[in-house]
Amino acid sequence: MARLNWGMIGGGKGSQIGPAHRLGSGLDGDFSFVAGALDHNADAGRAYAQELGIEADRAYGDWREMLTGERAREDRVDLVTVATPNSTHFEITKAFLEGGFHVLCEKPMTMTVEEGEEIVKISRKTGKLCAVNYGYTGYSLVRHMRAMIARGDLGKVRVVVSEFSHGHHADAAQADNPRIRWRYDPAQMGASAQFADCGIHAMHMASFVTGQEVDRLSADFASTIPSRELEDDAMVNFRMSGGAVGRLWTSAIAVGRMHGLTIQVFGEKGGLRWAQEQPNQLYFTPTNGRVQVIERGEAELSPEADRATRVTIGHAEGMPLAFANIYSDLAAVIRAEKAGVAVDKAADLYPRAEDGLRSMAAVYACVKSAKDGGTWVDAVPPLLR
């Protein structure tokens, strides 16, 4: 099967997220990395793209040049990944969707709810995919967790507890370090810091595994280091569309936590627990039963888990492999579209523009709730009500 053409905007030399995308996109041979505008410095971006094997005429100086160049080609890119600073996501994603390209955008998809609604409308109008990189949903056992809940193994879901907390910004002596300080600057981050950065991953994960959306929420934000204008710790209570109760904690000052993304779901018939730092095990406890350890790669898991398993049982699974599953999903959808056939259900799990929109609505709902002393706020964006 012929490879699809892939291009990237951002993710240049020294980028934290760029290598994970390049590894993930190329793992299965679905995509060839053929075009890029990788750096805000045009010369540096062109040079690095060519270091990575991109031909000189497709090593672009900026995204506008890339849009013009790719639109003129018969072998144009099939998918564009946007991995630039948050404030640029909307403009770039909008331009490429309108230009006729499928897009995978890093989170947050936009900076405002209104921008998010516009992206959803454009994606629907053009028929072009707009995916959002909630990459942790690509883990095999996260997908098995979703399948178990969907088939009723837990019965009615009662409570979901999601966390994404780390301690990397806990040192007050480092608060003015430019690499940290910008994250708490409203001019660069917008209305929220920690919740918009990590909390939306935890909230999206809760919706992904339960199949329920967040309807209402109540938030408490804290800036534990006085110089910070935006929150570095947040607690959010939420209610979901299927009746589940949600609890979410996200923090940047949790000393001893390295990454800290965990998800627990408690239902009538049992409970599930998964942690991203130990992704090969999913813990299932039936009501009145013993704890069972489900191992990634073992026999008789769900089709969703089997499809997302990359290495043999007992070997570590990592973030680039989870990203690869998102890219594999998108490749399957793009190929199905080209062939005019139905998409395999197990491949149709990529996070959509609507998920990005819901996340941004949750950010603003949390900000409003926290300012109003934790009042309950509607978290559903107007377009999706």
Side-chain angles (χ1 to χ4, degrees), residues 323-357:
F323 279 32
N325 286 326
I326 302 294
Y327 278 98
S328 179
D329 293 343
L330 293 171
V333 174
I334 293 169
R335 286 190 171 123
E337 177 199 61
K338 286 175 176 282
V341 299
V343 181
D344 179 1
K345 181 182 176 182
D348 197 19
L349 297 179
Y350 69 92
R352 287 146 164 86
E354 287 81 359
D355 297 304
L357 170 58

mmCIF file of all heavy atoms in Angstrom, residues 323-357:
data_model
loop_
_atom_site.group_PDB
_atom_site.id
_atom_site.type_symbol
_atom_site.label_atom_id
_atom_site.label_comp_id
_atom_site.label_asym_id
_atom_site.label_seq_id
_atom_site.Cartn_x
_atom_site.Cartn_y
_atom_site.Cartn_z
ATOM 1 N N PHE A 323 1.391 7.706 20.182
ATOM 2 C CA PHE A 323 1.221 8.654 19.079
ATOM 3 C C PHE A 323 1.055 7.912 17.753
ATOM 4 O O PHE A 323 0.264 8.297 16.896
ATOM 5 C CB PHE A 323 2.430 9.588 18.984
ATOM 6 C CG PHE A 323 2.417 10.750 19.950
ATOM 7 C CD1 PHE A 323 1.834 10.640 21.198
ATOM 8 C CD2 PHE A 323 3.002 11.957 19.603
ATOM 9 C CE1 PHE A 323 1.834 11.710 22.090
ATOM 10 C CE2 PHE A 323 3.008 13.033 20.486
ATOM 11 C CZ PHE A 323 2.419 12.911 21.734
ATOM 12 N N ALA A 324 1.818 6.831 17.584
ATOM 13 C CA ALA A 324 1.732 6.057 16.348
ATOM 14 C C ALA A 324 0.331 5.521 16.128
ATOM 15 O O ALA A 324 -0.128 5.410 14.979
ATOM 16 C CB ALA A 324 2.739 4.909 16.374
ATOM 17 N N ASN A 325 -0.358 5.180 17.199
ATOM 18 C CA ASN A 325 -1.731 4.689 17.048
ATOM 19 C C ASN A 325 -2.677 5.782 16.566
ATOM 20 O O ASN A 325 -3.609 5.512 15.811
ATOM 21 C CB ASN A 325 -2.221 4.079 18.359
ATOM 22 C CG ASN A 325 -1.587 2.733 18.634
ATOM 23 O OD1 ASN A 325 -1.311 1.974 17.699
ATOM 24 N ND2 ASN A 325 -1.347 2.431 19.895
ATOM 25 N N ILE A 326 -2.449 7.019 17.004
ATOM 26 C CA ILE A 326 -3.240 8.139 16.480
ATOM 27 C C ILE A 326 -2.978 8.291 14.981
ATOM 28 O O ILE A 326 -3.909 8.441 14.176
ATOM 29 C CB ILE A 326 -2.903 9.447 17.218
ATOM 30 C CG1 ILE A 326 -3.151 9.321 18.737
ATOM 31 C CG2 ILE A 326 -3.689 10.618 16.627
ATOM 32 C CD1 ILE A 326 -4.581 9.145 19.147
ATOM 33 N N TYR A 327 -1.702 8.240 14.592
ATOM 34 C CA TYR A 327 -1.366 8.356 13.170
ATOM 35 C C TYR A 327 -1.926 7.180 12.365
ATOM 36 O O TYR A 327 -2.388 7.350 11.228
ATOM 37 C CB TYR A 327 0.152 8.469 12.983
ATOM 38 C CG TYR A 327 0.662 9.873 13.198
ATOM 39 C CD1 TYR A 327 1.229 10.264 14.408
ATOM 40 C CD2 TYR A 327 0.555 10.830 12.193
ATOM 41 C CE1 TYR A 327 1.688 11.555 14.611
ATOM 42 C CE2 TYR A 327 1.013 12.132 12.382
ATOM 43 C CZ TYR A 327 1.573 12.484 13.598
ATOM 44 O OH TYR A 327 2.005 13.778 13.777
ATOM 45 N N SER A 328 -1.893 5.990 12.947
ATOM 46 C CA SER A 328 -2.456 4.821 12.269
ATOM 47 C C SER A 328 -3.958 4.983 12.063
ATOM 48 O O SER A 328 -4.497 4.642 10.998
ATOM 49 C CB SER A 328 -2.169 3.560 13.088
ATOM 50 O OG SER A 328 -2.722 2.421 12.467
ATOM 51 N N ASP A 329 -4.639 5.515 13.077
ATOM 52 C CA ASP A 329 -6.077 5.798 12.943
ATOM 53 C C ASP A 329 -6.330 6.751 11.778
ATOM 54 O O ASP A 329 -7.211 6.519 10.942
ATOM 55 C CB ASP A 329 -6.621 6.454 14.220
ATOM 56 C CG ASP A 329 -6.609 5.541 15.422
ATOM 57 O OD1 ASP A 329 -6.500 4.323 15.251
ATOM 58 O OD2 ASP A 329 -6.708 6.071 16.547
ATOM 59 N N LEU A 330 -5.562 7.836 11.754
ATOM 60 C CA LEU A 330 -5.769 8.857 10.730
ATOM 61 C C LEU A 330 -5.461 8.308 9.342
ATOM 62 O O LEU A 330 -6.178 8.603 8.376
ATOM 63 C CB LEU A 330 -4.913 10.085 11.028
ATOM 64 C CG LEU A 330 -5.326 10.859 12.286
ATOM 65 C CD1 LEU A 330 -4.302 11.927 12.628
ATOM 66 C CD2 LEU A 330 -6.700 11.484 12.115
ATOM 67 N N ALA A 331 -4.413 7.498 9.227
ATOM 68 C CA ALA A 331 -4.088 6.895 7.939
ATOM 69 C C ALA A 331 -5.233 6.005 7.454
ATOM 70 O O ALA A 331 -5.596 6.034 6.272
ATOM 71 C CB ALA A 331 -2.801 6.088 8.045
ATOM 72 N N ALA A 332 -5.814 5.232 8.369
ATOM 73 C CA ALA A 332 -6.916 4.353 7.991
ATOM 74 C C ALA A 332 -8.125 5.150 7.521
ATOM 75 O O ALA A 332 -8.788 4.783 6.539
ATOM 76 C CB ALA A 332 -7.297 3.465 9.177
ATOM 77 N N VAL A 333 -8.413 6.257 8.205
ATOM 78 C CA VAL A 333 -9.561 7.087 7.832
ATOM 79 C C VAL A 333 -9.317 7.773 6.483
ATOM 80 O O VAL A 333 -10.206 7.815 5.622
ATOM 81 C CB VAL A 333 -9.849 8.133 8.930
ATOM 82 C CG1 VAL A 333 -10.940 9.098 8.479
ATOM 83 C CG2 VAL A 333 -10.271 7.432 10.224
ATOM 84 N N ILE A 334 -8.107 8.312 6.294
ATOM 85 C CA ILE A 334 -7.784 8.990 5.033
ATOM 86 C C ILE A 334 -7.837 8.003 3.866
ATOM 87 O O ILE A 334 -8.383 8.298 2.800
ATOM 88 C CB ILE A 334 -6.408 9.674 5.126
ATOM 89 C CG1 ILE A 334 -6.456 10.835 6.132
ATOM 90 C CG2 ILE A 334 -5.966 10.190 3.754
ATOM 91 C CD1 ILE A 334 -5.098 11.404 6.501
ATOM 92 N N ARG A 335 -7.282 6.804 4.069
ATOM 93 C CA ARG A 335 -7.311 5.798 3.001
ATOM 94 C C ARG A 335 -8.739 5.342 2.704
ATOM 95 O O ARG A 335 -9.092 5.115 1.537
ATOM 96 C CB ARG A 335 -6.427 4.614 3.386
ATOM 97 C CG ARG A 335 -4.939 4.920 3.275
ATOM 98 C CD ARG A 335 -4.112 3.663 3.422
ATOM 99 N NE ARG A 335 -2.718 3.923 3.098
ATOM 100 C CZ ARG A 335 -1.705 3.703 3.909
ATOM 101 N NH1 ARG A 335 -1.918 3.215 5.118
ATOM 102 N NH2 ARG A 335 -0.463 3.950 3.518
ATOM 103 N N ALA A 336 -9.552 5.182 3.740
ATOM 104 C CA ALA A 336 -10.944 4.782 3.525
ATOM 105 C C ALA A 336 -11.686 5.848 2.728
ATOM 106 O O ALA A 336 -12.485 5.532 1.829
ATOM 107 C CB ALA A 336 -11.631 4.535 4.866
ATOM 108 N N GLU A 337 -11.407 7.116 3.059
ATOM 109 C CA GLU A 337 -12.023 8.221 2.316
ATOM 110 C C GLU A 337 -11.613 8.180 0.847
ATOM 111 O O GLU A 337 -12.453 8.318 -0.048
ATOM 112 C CB GLU A 337 -11.609 9.550 2.935
ATOM 113 C CG GLU A 337 -12.129 10.766 2.184
ATOM 114 C CD GLU A 337 -11.358 12.042 2.516
ATOM 115 O OE1 GLU A 337 -10.132 12.074 2.261
ATOM 116 O OE2 GLU A 337 -11.982 12.971 3.005
ATOM 117 N N LYS A 338 -10.336 7.966 0.593
ATOM 118 C CA LYS A 338 -9.845 7.910 -0.787
ATOM 119 C C LYS A 338 -10.481 6.762 -1.563
ATOM 120 O O LYS A 338 -10.769 6.881 -2.761
ATOM 121 C CB LYS A 338 -8.322 7.755 -0.795
ATOM 122 C CG LYS A 338 -7.526 9.006 -0.424
ATOM 123 C CD LYS A 338 -6.033 8.673 -0.354
ATOM 124 C CE LYS A 338 -5.188 9.903 -0.077
ATOM 125 N NZ LYS A 338 -4.990 10.750 -1.258
ATOM 126 N N ALA A 339 -10.696 5.633 -0.860
ATOM 127 C CA ALA A 339 -11.239 4.444 -1.514
ATOM 128 C C ALA A 339 -12.761 4.403 -1.516
ATOM 129 O O ALA A 339 -13.360 3.544 -2.169
ATOM 130 C CB ALA A 339 -10.697 3.190 -0.828
ATOM 131 N N GLY A 340 -13.382 5.310 -0.754
ATOM 132 C CA GLY A 340 -14.841 5.333 -0.680
ATOM 133 C C GLY A 340 -15.428 4.149 0.060
ATOM 134 O O GLY A 340 -16.517 3.662 -0.276
ATOM 135 N N VAL A 341 -14.714 3.666 1.103
ATOM 136 C CA VAL A 341 -15.197 2.521 1.885
ATOM 137 C C VAL A 341 -15.356 2.925 3.348
ATOM 138 O O VAL A 341 -14.885 3.981 3.773
ATOM 139 C CB VAL A 341 -14.221 1.328 1.770
ATOM 140 C CG1 VAL A 341 -14.113 0.879 0.318
ATOM 141 C CG2 VAL A 341 -12.842 1.683 2.334
ATOM 142 N N ALA A 342 -16.023 2.065 4.108
ATOM 143 C CA ALA A 342 -16.253 2.337 5.527
ATOM 144 C C ALA A 342 -14.955 2.181 6.307
ATOM 145 O O ALA A 342 -14.076 1.383 5.956
ATOM 146 C CB ALA A 342 -17.305 1.388 6.077
ATOM 147 N N VAL A 343 -14.845 2.933 7.386
ATOM 148 C CA VAL A 343 -13.665 2.883 8.247
ATOM 149 C C VAL A 343 -13.826 1.776 9.278
ATOM 150 O O VAL A 343 -14.914 1.580 9.839
ATOM 151 C CB VAL A 343 -13.465 4.236 8.972
ATOM 152 C CG1 VAL A 343 -12.230 4.197 9.859
ATOM 153 C CG2 VAL A 343 -13.369 5.369 7.973
ATOM 154 N N ASP A 344 -12.762 1.023 9.516
ATOM 155 C CA ASP A 344 -12.745 0.011 10.566
ATOM 156 C C ASP A 344 -13.049 0.680 11.912
ATOM 157 O O ASP A 344 -12.409 1.654 12.288
ATOM 158 C CB ASP A 344 -11.356 -0.639 10.595
ATOM 159 C CG ASP A 344 -11.208 -1.697 11.682
ATOM 160 O OD1 ASP A 344 -12.181 -1.957 12.408
ATOM 161 O OD2 ASP A 344 -10.100 -2.248 11.811
ATOM 162 N N LYS A 345 -14.025 0.143 12.639
ATOM 163 C CA LYS A 345 -14.444 0.737 13.919
ATOM 164 C C LYS A 345 -13.277 0.874 14.888
ATOM 165 O O LYS A 345 -13.174 1.868 15.615
ATOM 166 C CB LYS A 345 -15.556 -0.109 14.543
ATOM 167 C CG LYS A 345 -16.072 0.432 15.859
ATOM 168 C CD LYS A 345 -17.134 -0.481 16.462
ATOM 169 C CE LYS A 345 -17.584 0.024 17.830
ATOM 170 N NZ LYS A 345 -18.579 -0.883 18.451
ATOM 171 N N ALA A 346 -12.398 -0.125 14.919
ATOM 172 C CA ALA A 346 -11.263 -0.096 15.851
ATOM 173 C C ALA A 346 -10.253 0.985 15.510
ATOM 174 O O ALA A 346 -9.405 1.333 16.325
ATOM 175 C CB ALA A 346 -10.572 -1.461 15.885
ATOM 176 N N ALA A 347 -10.343 1.534 14.278
ATOM 177 C CA ALA A 347 -9.425 2.593 13.865
ATOM 178 C C ALA A 347 -10.036 3.977 13.972
ATOM 179 O O ALA A 347 -9.341 4.973 13.821
ATOM 180 C CB ALA A 347 -8.985 2.355 12.415
ATOM 181 N N ASP A 348 -11.320 4.040 14.265
ATOM 182 C CA ASP A 348 -12.028 5.324 14.226
ATOM 183 C C ASP A 348 -12.095 5.947 15.622
ATOM 184 O O ASP A 348 -13.165 6.337 16.095
ATOM 185 C CB ASP A 348 -13.437 5.109 13.666
ATOM 186 C CG ASP A 348 -14.081 6.412 13.214
ATOM 187 O OD1 ASP A 348 -13.358 7.396 12.998
ATOM 188 O OD2 ASP A 348 -15.315 6.438 13.081
ATOM 189 N N LEU A 349 -10.942 6.012 16.275
ATOM 190 C CA LEU A 349 -10.902 6.454 17.671
ATOM 191 C C LEU A 349 -10.118 7.751 17.864
ATOM 192 O O LEU A 349 -9.927 8.188 18.998
ATOM 193 C CB LEU A 349 -10.275 5.363 18.553
ATOM 194 C CG LEU A 349 -11.031 4.032 18.616
ATOM 195 C CD1 LEU A 349 -10.273 3.043 19.498
ATOM 196 C CD2 LEU A 349 -12.444 4.211 19.140
ATOM 197 N N TYR A 350 -9.670 8.366 16.787
ATOM 198 C CA TYR A 350 -8.836 9.557 16.935
ATOM 199 C C TYR A 350 -9.644 10.716 17.551
ATOM 200 O O TYR A 350 -10.827 10.866 17.280
ATOM 201 C CB TYR A 350 -8.258 9.969 15.584
ATOM 202 C CG TYR A 350 -9.274 10.513 14.603
ATOM 203 C CD1 TYR A 350 -9.540 11.876 14.531
ATOM 204 C CD2 TYR A 350 -9.975 9.670 13.747
ATOM 205 C CE1 TYR A 350 -10.475 12.395 13.647
ATOM 206 C CE2 TYR A 350 -10.912 10.167 12.855
ATOM 207 C CZ TYR A 350 -11.161 11.525 12.814
ATOM 208 O OH TYR A 350 -12.094 12.028 11.937
ATOM 209 N N PRO A 351 -9.014 11.533 18.407
ATOM 210 C CA PRO A 351 -9.704 12.691 18.991
ATOM 211 C C PRO A 351 -9.992 13.741 17.927
ATOM 212 O O PRO A 351 -9.124 14.076 17.117
ATOM 213 C CB PRO A 351 -8.701 13.213 20.028
ATOM 214 C CG PRO A 351 -7.764 12.078 20.263
ATOM 215 C CD PRO A 351 -7.664 11.352 18.961
ATOM 216 N N ARG A 352 -11.197 14.257 17.925
ATOM 217 C CA ARG A 352 -11.668 15.157 16.880
ATOM 218 C C ARG A 352 -11.685 16.619 17.318
ATOM 219 O O ARG A 352 -11.484 16.930 18.478
ATOM 220 C CB ARG A 352 -13.078 14.725 16.462
ATOM 221 C CG ARG A 352 -13.090 13.438 15.639
ATOM 222 C CD ARG A 352 -14.333 12.613 15.942
ATOM 223 N NE ARG A 352 -14.573 11.597 14.922
ATOM 224 C CZ ARG A 352 -14.024 10.386 14.928
ATOM 225 N NH1 ARG A 352 -13.192 10.029 15.901
ATOM 226 N NH2 ARG A 352 -14.306 9.516 13.969
ATOM 227 N N ALA A 353 -11.995 17.487 16.323
ATOM 228 C CA ALA A 353 -12.101 18.914 16.613
ATOM 229 C C ALA A 353 -13.138 19.173 17.695
ATOM 230 O O ALA A 353 -12.975 20.079 18.519
ATOM 231 C CB ALA A 353 -12.457 19.674 15.337
ATOM 232 N N GLU A 354 -14.213 18.387 17.702
ATOM 233 C CA GLU A 354 -15.233 18.558 18.739
ATOM 234 C C GLU A 354 -14.652 18.324 20.128
ATOM 235 O O GLU A 354 -15.064 18.982 21.094
ATOM 236 C CB GLU A 354 -16.411 17.603 18.489
ATOM 237 C CG GLU A 354 -17.300 17.981 17.315
ATOM 238 C CD GLU A 354 -16.764 17.563 15.959
ATOM 239 O OE1 GLU A 354 -15.651 16.977 15.898
ATOM 240 O OE2 GLU A 354 -17.446 17.816 14.944
ATOM 241 N N ASP A 355 -13.690 17.401 20.246
ATOM 242 C CA ASP A 355 -13.025 17.174 21.531
ATOM 243 C C ASP A 355 -12.179 18.380 21.927
ATOM 244 O O ASP A 355 -12.148 18.775 23.096
ATOM 245 C CB ASP A 355 -12.146 15.927 21.456
ATOM 246 C CG ASP A 355 -12.936 14.665 21.184
ATOM 247 O OD1 ASP A 355 -13.857 14.375 21.954
ATOM 248 O OD2 ASP A 355 -12.652 13.987 20.186
ATOM 249 N N GLY A 356 -11.494 18.954 20.947
ATOM 250 C CA GLY A 356 -10.722 20.164 21.218
ATOM 251 C C GLY A 356 -11.603 21.312 21.647
ATOM 252 O O GLY A 356 -11.243 22.102 22.536
ATOM 253 N N LEU A 357 -12.776 21.432 21.024
ATOM 254 C CA LEU A 357 -13.734 22.476 21.386
ATOM 255 C C LEU A 357 -14.251 22.267 22.807
ATOM 256 O O LEU A 357 -14.328 23.222 23.599
ATOM 257 C CB LEU A 357 -14.891 22.478 20.391
ATOM 258 C CG LEU A 357 -16.112 23.338 20.734
ATOM 259 C CD1 LEU A 357 -15.731 24.802 20.926
ATOM 260 C CD2 LEU A 357 -17.181 23.192 19.649
#
